Every structure is written in C-alpha cells, then in structure tokens.
Amino acid sequence: MERGKMAEAESLETAAEHERILREIESTDTACIGPTLRSVYDGEEHGRFMEKLETRIRNHDREIEKMCNFHYQGFVDSITELLKVRGEAQKLKNQVTDTNRKLQHEGKELVIAMEELKQCRLQQRNISATVDKLMLCLPVLEMYSKLRDQMKTKRHYPALKTLEHLEHTYLPQVSHYRFCKVMVDNIPKLREEIKDVSMSDLKDFLESIRKHSDKIGETAMKQAPGAQDLVDFSPVYRCLHIYSVLGARETFENYYRKQRRKQARLVLQPPSNMHETLDGYRKYFNQIVGFFVVEDHILHTTQGLVNRAYIDELWEMALSKTIAALRTHSSYCSDPNLVLDLKNLIVLFADTLQVYGFPVNQLFDMLLEIRDQYSETLLKKWSGIFRNILDSDNYSPIPVTSEEIYKKVVGQFPFQDTELEKQPFPKKFPFSEFVPKVYNQIKEFIYACLKFSEDLHLSSTEVDDMIRKSTNLLLTRTLSSSLQNVIKRKNIGLTELVQIIINTTHLEKSCKYLEEFITNITNVLPETVHTTKLYGTTTFKDARHAAEEEIYTNLNQKIDQFLQLADYDWMTGDLGNKASDYLVDLIAFLRSTFAVFTHLPGKVAQTACMSACKHLATSLMQLLLETEVRQLTLGALQQFNLDVRECEQFARSGPVPGFQEDTLQLAFIDLRQLLDLFLQWDWSTYLADYGQPTCKYLRVNPVTALTLLEKMKDTSRKNNMFAQFRKNERDKQKLIDTVAKQLRGLISSHHS
C-alpha cells in the first residue's frame, strides 16, 4: 500500500516536470533548447515525455487549422477589391498619357520659333559687348599667358616680375570682371606656386649634392682645383633670390640650414662595417669633405645664407662625431697595415679640410691615440712572428760551411769574434738561427713604428720617443712573453735551455746596436735630455734568469726520476762493494749534461752543478729518513754509504770548472758526517763535543741522529758492529737505548 502511494507521488512529480519542460520548449529560443532536452534524456521517463510531446503537437495543429478557417473568407474578399482598383487605375493612366502627347505636338513649333528668336537677339547683344570688352581684356590675358609660360619654363624670377605688373597695372583696369577676380584671387597661389617650385628645385639640389658628396670629397682630397665646379649652385641662388623678393628670406635660410644639418648628421653616421676595409673609411671621409666643400662655397658666394658661426657649429659637431666614430671603429681593427693606411687617410682628410680653413688639430691629437692602437696591433702581429721564429728554431748553433754564409749571418746580426773568424770552415756560430731573425724583426718593428709617425707634424724628439717607447713594449712585453713561453714549455730539454741562455746573452749585447739604429733614423742622440732608453738588456736578462731557473728545476726533476729507480733492501745483512746501478746512471747523466754547459757563463754552470748536488744530497737524506723505512740494518747503511761516496767522487772530479778545492763536495757534508757517526759508532765523541764550533760531527742534527737510531733498534741482532763487543743481546739493546736517551736529552736542552 505504502509502495503504491510512493509510485503515484513519483508519477505526479514526473508529469509536472514534463509539463514544465513543454512550456519551456514553447517559450524558449531554438538555439537554447539543448540543455532543456538534455534534462529529459538524463531521466528515465523520456518515453512518456515523447508521448506528451506528440499530444501537445496535435493540439497546436488543430488550433492553427481553426484559425486559418476563420480568416480565409475575409482574405479572399480583399484580393477581389484590389483587382478591381488596379483596372480603373490603368484606364486613368492611359488617358493622361494620350492628353500629354497631343499637347506636346501642338505647341512644339511655337516653342522652337520663340527660342530661335530669343537666341538671335542674345547673340547680337553679346557679340557687341564682347567686341567692346575684349579690347580691354586682351592685354591682361596676354600678360597672364606670359606669366604661365615663364613658370612653365621655370623662369621663376621673371615670372615674379610679370606677376607684379599684372597685379598693379593691368588687373585694376578690368577689376569688375569675374575672370579678373579669379586672377586676383589666384595671385597669392601663383606666388606660393613659384615658391614651391623653386623650393622643389632646391630640394632636388640638396638631394643631388647629398648623392654626389662622395665624388666632390674624392676630388677635393685628390687636391684637384675647383671640386665645387662639379655642382650647379644656380637652384640655391634662384631660390634665395625669389624668397628674398617675396620677403621670406629668413624662412629660406632657416629651411636650408635645417636640411643641411640633417644631411650632416646622416653623413657623419658611419656604416656599421666601416672598419672592415679601407674603402669604408675612404667613402666616409669623402662624404664629409664633400659636405663642407659645398658649405664653404655657399658661404663665399651668397650673402648670409650661411655664416661663419653656422659653419663653425657644424664643424664642431662633425669633429666630435668623426673622432668618436674613428675611436670606435679603429678599436676593432687588428691589422696594422689597415691602421697605417687609415692614418694616412686621416692625414689627407685633415690636410684637405685645413686648406678650406677648418681647424684640424683635434684630428692630429686623435691620431696620437690611434698611434697607441697601431702600436698594440703591431705588438700582436710581432707576437705571432716571434712565436713562429721560436717554435721553428732548432736550438742548435748555426753551422757555417763557407765565407759567403758567414758574411750573410754577420750582415744580419752584429757579431764579432776574432777566434771564430780564424777557425777553418766548417765552423759554428755560438747562437742559433733565432738570434739574427729576432734581431731583424726588432728592426722591422722599428721601421713600422717610423711609418706611422710620418706626416704627423711631430718633432724628431717626439718621433724618437714614440719609437723607443713602442720598442720597449716589444722587448719587455711581447718578446719577453714569447721567450718565457718557450722556457716554460713542458717538453723543453736542457740543451734547448742552454742554447736560450747563449742566445739571450748575444741579443743582450746587440741592444747597443739597436740604440744606434734608432739614432740613425731619428737623428736624435741618445744623450739628449729626456730621451727614453731601451730596456732590452733587462728583457734578455730576465729571460736568461728564467732559463737558468728552468735548468735548475729540470736537473732536479731528472735527479728525482733517477731516484725513483732506487730500490734499497733496508733489511739486508750483506755488505756491498759497489754503488747502486741507479746512482751510477745518475752520475753519468750529470757528467754528460755538464759537459754541454761549456758555452754557458761560468756562474750559470757552477750554480746549476751546485744546485744539482745539493738537491741530490737532500733527496738522499730524505730517502734515508723517510717514515716508510721503519727499520734498516748496518748492511743497508753501508750500501747507502757507497752511493754517497760515488756522489762525493763526482763532486771531487770537478764536473764544472771554477769551484775552489772541495766547495762542491760540501753539498754532501751532512750525509757524510751522519754516515760516519753511525758506521764508526762514534757516539762518545759526538755527545762530548756537541755544540762546539770544532765538533767533528757539527752538521749532524740530534733529531736526525735519533730518527735513524730508532730505525736500527729492532735490527741490532743483524748489526755486525756489535759482534766486536762480544756482549749478549740485552747489552746491545741497552747501549742503543742509552744513546737514544742521551740524544733526547740533547734535543730537550737545545729546545729549552
């Protein structure tokens, strides 16, 4: 029962919803009906809705049919009445048309006759009046025709005169005629037309000189007379005259100056790629010169169209913009030849404008800035030249097989050696090929610097100073850097370093000849006050010192490589009878190396030899004391002693001449005293004399001795030294402990 009531309630609710949807469909626009229909299909009663929709459609169809049946008879009656009215209207139209045709036909002849009579009388009066007035008007018309012809042929100034006669003499006589009024009204327009036409000619002129400024400037910079003759200035003169007559001279002057300022700004704007070629700079300069040649001519051939103040203002603007553009674009240039060509072009540009009265000092000042840029590009170029020379050199003395080759080398580089001259061929110069090549390239650099100073209106002293400063930069920065790079190369050998030292020694000696070379081309004596000195000596000394240091480093590295081959058996009980193989090879290497040092200055060879021996001694000491060696035997110490003796023998043999007595052997004194102390077991002497200047073991540090003694503690049983004491093992160990304790006491008292 309850379920039946619920079903009935749901059915009523669904019917009400369907009724609402039907009303909404009837009253809603078709375009918006989609959401309404969707709500039907979203439910489950769309079948019942369709039945209701069909019923509603049939109801509306019956209502439409009733309405049409009700109004149909009235509609038929109205159509019938309209058809009757149309017939009557057509009859009326036909009657009116027939009546009009008859009237036109009967009055046509009369109208024609009256028109002919009227026309004849009118013509008679007009002809008579025209004949009378034409005699008065013809001069005006002739003058006006003359005016138009003059304007047509662009004779603007005569046209202005004709216009004035027409306005003040002829037109007042016929002022009551309409054409006269038209002419009077047209006179201001004609004046404006003349102004406009002349202005148009001026604009054409301005455009023409803008296009031809390049050619005008090119002609002027070639110092050809009459560059301004390439231009027809008559449009300017005519336009100025016309505007003056019309009382608008000031307007014309302002317009001309304004337009020329605009053109000046365009001319002074360089193309973005101007720095790439010399032609870019040349065209830029030609246009500027062409512009100012025209303005200079206008200044001198017109009265006040432009004045000196206006020209000076334009020139100041041009100078600042030109100098700024040249600073910017020249900074991009990395080719010294292009910079040199640019300098020559700027000089020509300045000299040309100076002829026309323009001040150009700022341009020459700016050239001094470009000189610095030129110097930088030269330094970069010569950096590459030096690098190629040094990279391609074989670092071997130059062999000479004939007198011709000998003279050729001596001609390239100032070298004198009486002993070498006496030697028979074949023989060798002490230096390698990079010496004459570098020397000649320094001279070429000086020539290149001299080229830039030409035509700059500089004194000899200023030229000399410029060349010397640039050459100093070449020596101290460019050449020095190139030499340092070669010296610091990873794969450079001792032979090459030795040759570099020899080469730089000879180049240092040649600096005085470079001084003479500069003096000869500048005619400024080096003793002159404020004359800059060459720093070549410093450059070559620095390079030589760097090479020497590299030799020392290189030797030490070679020694370290040999020491890496050391393979000591620190626990051996055998007593050796010869030095270790690695050390024998090391000593042989050192002997052959120092034999190559024969051409080096004595001090360099001695320092290298002493440095090598000290490094070898230090390295051997470190090898003996290194923490990885925790124990060692007396046998190992005796083998180590043999190696040190081999080193001392090498030092005594004098591998490099110049050492006094046993100076070189002192490099191994620390090792010698330490080994003697242990091998002779002379602790009583060491402990008793410690701290005294005459101590036998003065070079033995107690810390070092203690470190080595600690390594021998646990190996005392293998130490044959103790066999002679004929004591038991405990006594031996006790002896080492006693010495160690005394050493610690020494160390403690020394620190306190």
Side-chain angles (χ1 to χ4, degrees):
M1 185 72 175
E2 189 66 29
R3 189 178 298 173
K5 287 182 180 181
M6 288 178 62
E8 185 178 352
E10 288 177 2
S11 177
L12 291 173
E13 188 177 332
T14 301
E17 178 63 18
H18 287 175
E19 187 63 30
R20 183 190 65 76
I21 293 171
L22 288 172
R23 286 198 301 273
E24 192 171 335
I25 292 172
E26 289 171 346
S27 59
T28 304
D29 185 8
T30 308
C32 303
I33 205 169
T36 304
L37 293 177
R38 181 175 296 172
S39 65
V40 174
Y41 284 94
D42 287 344
E44 300 178 355
E45 300 293 337
H46 55 273
R48 292 175 61 184
F49 174 77
M50 291 301 297
E51 292 174 3
K52 284 200 173 190
L53 181 60
E54 289 291 338
T55 303
R56 185 61 63 91
I57 291 171
R58 285 195 296 273
N59 290 340
H60 281 299
D61 287 343
R62 283 195 294 272
E63 288 176 5
I64 291 170
E65 187 176 349
K66 286 178 183 179
M67 188 176 292
C68 289
N69 290 336
F70 180 75
H71 291 288
Y72 178 73
Q73 188 58 44
F75 173 73
V76 171
D77 293 342
S78 298
I79 293 300
T80 303
E81 289 297 325
L82 283 173
L83 290 173
K84 289 179 181 180
V85 171
R86 186 175 66 176
E88 293 299 324
Q90 186 63 41
K91 289 179 183 179
L92 181 59
K93 179 183 176 183
N94 291 340
Q95 289 175 0
V96 171
T97 302
D98 187 53
T99 302
N100 180 60
R101 185 175 61 253
K102 290 178 182 180
L103 181 61
Q104 291 292 333
H105 179 72
E106 291 175 358
K108 185 176 182 181
E109 293 180 0
L110 178 60
V111 171
I112 291 172
M114 291 297 293
E115 282 294 326
E116 288 177 355
L117 177 61
K118 178 183 175 183
Q119 192 66 29
C120 287
R121 287 178 179 173
L122 181 60
Q123 288 176 353
Q124 186 179 13
R125 284 198 307 272
N126 288 346
I127 289 171
S128 178
T130 301
V131 171
D132 293 338
K133 300 300 181 182
L134 274 177
M135 299 304 295
L136 189 61
C137 294
L138 278 176
V140 178
L141 295 172
E142 288 173 354
M143 188 62 70
Y144 190 78
S145 176
K146 180 182 178 182
L147 171 64
R148 300 307 298 182
D149 288 340
Q150 289 171 335
M151 292 183 66
K152 186 176 181 180
T153 56
K154 295 188 177 181
R155 297 165 59 209
H156 300 127
Y157 183 66
L160 274 180
K161 291 294 184 184
T162 301
L163 188 61
E164 199 149 326
H165 285 303
L166 187 64
E167 182 180 20
H168 298 293
T169 305
Y170 292 94
L171 284 176
Q173 298 176 13
V174 289
S175 59
H176 53 284
Y177 292 112
R178 266 191 317 178
F179 82 89
C180 176
K181 188 176 185 309
V182 171
M183 285 185 180
V184 171
D185 294 340
N186 207 30
I187 284 175
K189 297 179 181 177
L190 290 172
R191 284 200 176 96
E192 285 299 319
E193 184 179 346
I194 291 172
K195 282 176 64 177
D196 292 344
V197 171
S198 62
M199 181 58 73
S200 176
D201 290 345
L202 176 68
K203 289 178 179 177
D204 292 342
F205 166 79
L206 292 174
E207 180 63 20
S208 175
I209 59 173
R210 186 187 69 78
K211 291 180 179 178
H212 295 93
S213 286
D214 188 9
K215 186 66 177 177
I216 299 167
E218 181 183 1
T219 305
M221 288 180 71
K222 289 178 180 177
Q223 308 300 323
Q228 62 272 11
D229 294 341
L230 297 172
V231 182
D232 177 15
F233 289 92
S234 58
V236 181
Y237 305 145
R238 283 197 304 268
C239 197
L240 175 62
H241 199 51
I242 288 169
Y243 271 72
S244 299
V245 170
L246 294 174
R249 180 186 175 98
E250 185 177 354
T251 302
F252 175 77
E253 289 177 359
N254 291 337
Y255 176 82
Y256 177 84
R257 295 182 185 184
K258 181 180 178 181
Q259 294 303 313
R260 288 297 276 165
R261 279 194 183 94
K262 287 182 179 178
Q263 289 189 348
R265 289 189 180 94
L266 289 175
V267 165
L268 294 169
Q269 183 65 37
S272 59
N273 61 342
M274 182 174 74
H275 58 275
E276 294 178 359
T277 63
L278 189 65
D279 285 339
Y281 289 106
R282 183 178 289 113
K283 185 174 181 180
Y284 180 63
F285 289 140
N286 286 345
Q287 289 178 339
I288 296 173
V289 171
F291 178 89
F292 282 100
V293 166
V294 169
E295 290 306 287
D296 181 74
H297 186 75
I298 292 291
L299 174 68
H300 291 93
T301 56
T302 62
Q303 295 181 348
L305 178 54
V306 297
N307 54 32
R308 177 51 64 185
Y310 159 81
I311 295 290
D312 290 345
E313 178 195 344
L314 279 181
W315 177 238
E316 284 299 319
M317 177 183 73
L319 260 184
S320 63
K321 288 186 176 291
T322 302
I323 290 172
L326 289 175
R327 280 191 182 123
T328 301
H329 285 269
S330 65
S331 66
Y332 297 141
C333 186
S334 58
D335 180 5
N337 294 326
L338 180 57
V339 178
L340 184 62
D341 291 339
L342 173 60
K343 164 256 168 181
N344 293 330
L345 197 58
I346 294 173
V347 170
L348 179 59
F349 171 70
D351 289 345
T352 302
L353 287 167
Q354 195 170 32
V355 170
Y356 286 90
F358 295 99
V360 293
N361 290 338
Q362 291 184 47
L363 286 172
F364 282 101
D365 292 341
M366 190 265 305
L367 277 172
L368 298 181
E369 297 177 23
I370 293 183
R371 177 190 65 188
D372 297 334
Q373 171 69 16
Y374 176 69
S375 179
E376 286 299 320
T377 58
L378 284 181
L379 292 174
K380 289 180 181 177
K381 178 180 178 181
W382 257 261
S383 175
I385 291 172
F386 287 145
R387 184 170 59 252
N388 291 335
I389 291 173
L390 297 176
D391 288 347
S392 61
D393 197 68
N394 60 7
Y395 295 93
S396 300
I398 301 174
V400 186
T401 57
S402 66
E403 185 69 25
E404 182 182 358
I405 297 175
Y406 187 90
K407 288 182 178 180
K408 181 181 177 182
V409 175
V410 173
Q412 293 174 341
F413 181 74
F415 175 77
Q416 292 180 345
D417 187 333
T418 307
E419 293 298 324
L420 183 64
E421 289 177 2
K422 293 178 181 178
Q423 292 178 14
F425 294 101
K427 50 189 174 182
K428 294 180 180 181
F429 285 98
F431 46 80
S432 68
E433 289 186 356
F434 95 55
V435 171
K437 287 181 179 179
V438 166
Y439 181 81
N440 280 288
Q441 283 303 323
I442 295 172
K443 291 171 66 176
E444 288 297 322
F445 178 87
I446 293 170
Y447 277 127
C449 292
L450 180 65
K451 286 181 181 178
F452 193 91
S453 65
E454 295 171 353
D455 303 319
L456 292 186
H457 313 304
L458 299 174
S459 66
S460 298
T461 305
E462 288 174 315
V463 173
D464 183 84
D465 185 66
M466 181 197 81
I467 291 176
R468 288 176 181 274
K469 285 180 178 178
S470 296
T471 306
N472 276 335
L473 283 175
L474 178 76
L475 295 173
T476 60
R477 196 172 81 186
T478 306
L479 180 56
S480 176
S481 175
S482 299
L483 288 170
Q484 294 291 342
N485 288 338
V486 172
I487 292 168
K488 298 298 181 182
R489 279 197 309 221
K490 290 183 178 180
N491 58 345
I492 192 163
L494 287 169
T495 306
E496 288 90 342
L497 290 168
V498 169
Q499 191 62 57
I500 288 173
I501 292 174
I502 296 169
N503 288 353
T504 51
T505 302
H506 287 283
L507 283 171
E508 181 183 348
K509 293 177 181 178
S510 73
C511 286
K512 64 179 181 178
Y513 297 102
L514 290 175
E515 290 268 12
E516 293 175 4
F517 177 71
I518 295 174
T519 299
N520 290 335
I521 63 176
T522 63
N523 295 318
V524 177
L525 297 176
E527 295 80 17
T528 305
V529 181
H530 303 308
T531 300
T532 305
K533 305 300 180 184
L534 288 185
Y535 302 143
T537 302
T538 304
T539 296
F540 299 123
K541 279 183 179 177
D542 291 345
R544 189 161 60 253
H545 291 158
E548 291 169 8
E549 290 297 327
E550 198 65 26
I551 285 177
Y552 307 151
T553 303
N554 199 310
L555 269 175
N556 292 345
Q557 289 174 349
K558 289 290 185 182
I559 291 171
D560 290 341
Q561 291 174 7
F562 278 102
L563 287 171
Q564 288 176 2
L565 301 176
D567 187 20
Y568 288 102
D569 180 4
W570 299 110
M571 301 302 295
T572 182
D574 300 332
L575 298 178
N577 57 7
K578 65 174 183 176
S580 301
D581 292 341
Y582 86 90
L583 194 79
V584 173
D585 294 341
L586 170 56
I587 298 300
F589 163 75
L590 291 176
R591 289 186 188 281
S592 62
T593 298
F594 291 130
V596 180
F597 287 13
T598 52
H599 293 293
L600 284 176
K603 185 179 179 182
V604 177
Q606 291 168 16
T607 305
C609 189
M610 178 59 78
S611 172
C613 288
K614 283 183 177 180
H615 182 73
L616 176 57
T618 303
S619 299
L620 286 172
M621 182 68 81
Q622 290 174 350
L623 193 64
L624 186 64
L625 300 176
E626 65 182 5
T627 55
E628 292 181 3
V629 181
R630 297 180 179 179
Q631 296 179 346
L632 56 81
T633 63
L634 186 61
L637 206 60
Q638 288 175 335
Q639 178 60 50
F640 196 80
N641 183 56
L642 289 174
D643 291 346
V644 174
R645 288 188 183 281
E646 187 74 16
C647 295
E648 291 171 327
Q649 175 61 33
F650 167 74
R652 281 194 298 272
S653 68
V656 171
F659 285 110
Q660 294 180 357
E661 298 178 355
D662 295 335
T663 302
L664 190 60
Q665 194 175 349
L666 291 175
F668 302 96
I669 190 66
D670 290 8
L671 274 172
R672 172 48 48 214
Q673 290 187 6
L674 179 66
L675 290 171
D676 285 352
L677 174 62
F678 274 82
L679 293 176
Q680 295 174 19
W681 205 251
D682 196 9
W683 292 105
S684 58
T685 303
Y686 176 75
L687 294 170
D689 296 344
Y690 180 77
Q692 298 180 15
T694 57
C695 178
K696 181 180 178 181
Y697 303 102
L698 182 65
R699 305 290 299 181
V700 179
N701 187 303
V703 176
T704 304
L706 179 60
T707 302
L708 189 59
L709 190 63
E710 293 286 351
K711 295 177 183 288
M712 299 183 69
K713 265 187 177 183
D714 298 331
T715 58
S716 59
R717 65 174 55 91
K718 298 181 180 179
N719 194 331
N720 295 333
M721 173 69 73
F722 294 102
Q724 61 184 316
F725 296 114
R726 300 183 179 281
K727 294 182 178 181
N728 59 35
E729 196 66 28
R730 184 179 300 173
D731 292 337
K732 296 174 185 176
Q733 188 63 41
K734 185 177 179 181
L735 180 60
I736 293 177
D737 290 340
T738 302
V739 173
K741 183 178 180 181
Q742 291 176 312
L743 286 174
R744 290 190 188 96
L746 279 180
I747 296 170
S748 177
S749 62
H750 177 70
H751 283 300
S752 61

